[in-house]
């Protein structure tokens, strides 16, 4: 860890489509800088889990206003690598297929975005954070000193997600690369086309294409950009 004491802490916003390498990059860069990593996708996934458990998903498709009741006493916290929803460790549950399938719909709802926006802005208020998601540079922290837009070829992203799921093992059968590619493309479409805070590059964001980069290479690029900002 190279905690850059003496330099004013900054916000690093990393946005990009599904499985482009945001969380891996963000986590390592945050560790190197002594910053806090905030995975906003995990927050949207946590709300989705709450919706699924409530049995209200279909009702929300007809009347999104009903989501307000589910957001009222919501708490989401990060403790180290783990995410807690209302005090329960949901780190594994939020990665399940059903959550992945429904998260873009739940994330498109205005009351959900408003609530999480508030939470995310308070989590990053002291700066010294690396936050990844879809709208961090455009909506959550448009004043982030460094904005990155991470992209990669959809087939390559599907391969990475497949390898990640296969490595995790467990009882669930792993979808094929083709199935994952379809799911990723579908989620990208929904994230790009929604009305509220769609996935799009901020004009100041630096595009990093990770299609042919190793993790070490993409970390080195983002870390290098951060050091430049901190020393600049
Ligand atoms: O890791 P993966 O690429 O599968 O996605 P994620 O970062 O866990 O985010 C899951 C979903 O949450 C995205 O597909 C978006 O629909 C939503 N999301 C969002 O709307 N805004 C964010 N800032 C982060 C995630």
């Amino acid at each position: 860890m190279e905690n850059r004491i003496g330099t004013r802490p900054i916000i690093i916003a990393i946005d990009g489509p599904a499985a482009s390498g945001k969380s891996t990059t963000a986590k390592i860069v945050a560790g190197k800088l002594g910053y806090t990593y905030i995975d906003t996708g995990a927050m949207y996934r946590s709300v989705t889990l709450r919706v699924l458990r409530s049995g209200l998903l279909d009702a929300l498709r007809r009347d999104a206003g009903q989501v307000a009741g589910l957001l009222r006493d919501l708490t989401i916290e990060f403790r180290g690598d783990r995410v807690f929803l209302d005090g329960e460790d949901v780190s594994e549950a939020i990665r399940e297929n059903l959550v992945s399938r429904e998260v873009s719909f739940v994330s498109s709802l205005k009351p959900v975005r408003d609530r999480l926006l508030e939470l995310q802005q308070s989590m990053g208020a002291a700066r010294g954070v690396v936050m990844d998601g879809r709208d961090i540079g455009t909506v959550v922290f448009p004043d982030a000193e460094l904005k990155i837009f991470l992209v990669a070829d959809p087939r390559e992203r599907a391969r990475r997600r497949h390898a990640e799921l296969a490595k995790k093992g467990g009882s669930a059968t792993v979808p094929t690369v083709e199935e994952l590619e379809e799911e990723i493309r579908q989620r990208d479409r929904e994230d790009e086309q929604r009305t509220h805070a769609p996935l799009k590059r901020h004009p100041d964001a630096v595009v990093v294409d990770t299609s042919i980069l190793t993790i070490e290479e993409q970390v080195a690029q983002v870390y290098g950009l951060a050091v430049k900002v901190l020393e600049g």
Side-chain angles (χ1 to χ4, degrees), residues 10-48:
I10 61 168
I11 291 179
I12 302 175
I14 305 185
D15 291 306
S20 52
K22 298 182 300 293
S23 62
T24 309
T25 308
K27 215 179 285 175
I28 301 175
V29 170
K32 282 166 79 78
L33 291 168
Y35 279 18
T36 304
Y37 164 54
I38 299 169
D39 175 355
T40 66
M43 299 173 78
Y44 284 97
R45 286 171 178 274
S46 298
V47 175
T48 305

Side-chain angles (χ1 to χ4, degrees), residues 39-66:
D39 175 355
T40 66
M43 299 173 78
Y44 284 97
R45 286 171 178 274
S46 298
V47 175
T48 305
L49 184 64
R50 208 186 214 223
V51 167
L52 289 169
R53 285 176 172 175
S54 74
L56 286 173
L57 183 68
D58 286 332
L60 291 188
R61 290 194 208 280
R62 293 188 298 272
D63 171 16
Q66 291 197 35

Side-chain angles (χ1 to χ4, degrees), residues 15-23 39-42 44-45 48 94-95 100 103-105 107-108 113 120 132-136 140 161 164 183-184 187-188 190-191 194 196-197:
D15 291 306
S20 52
K22 298 182 300 293
S23 62
D39 175 355
T40 66
Y44 284 97
R45 286 171 178 274
T48 305
I94 60 168
R95 303 285 157 198
S100 299
V103 64
S104 285
F105 165 66
S107 304
S108 71
R113 299 214 75 84
Q120 289 156 10
D132 78 351
R134 302 293 188 284
D135 60 341
I136 312 308
V140 185
R161 185 52 45 99
E164 191 180 279
E183 186 209 300
I184 282 174
R187 196 138 57 88
D188 287 354
E190 287 181 44
D191 291 347
R194 70 182 173 218
H196 310 294

Side-chain angles (χ1 to χ4, degrees), residues 110-124:
K110 179 85 165 55
V112 172
R113 299 214 75 84
D114 289 347
R115 185 61 208 280
L116 292 194
L117 174 66
E118 201 177 80
L119 267 175
Q120 289 156 10
Q121 287 179 334
S122 71
M123 285 174 170

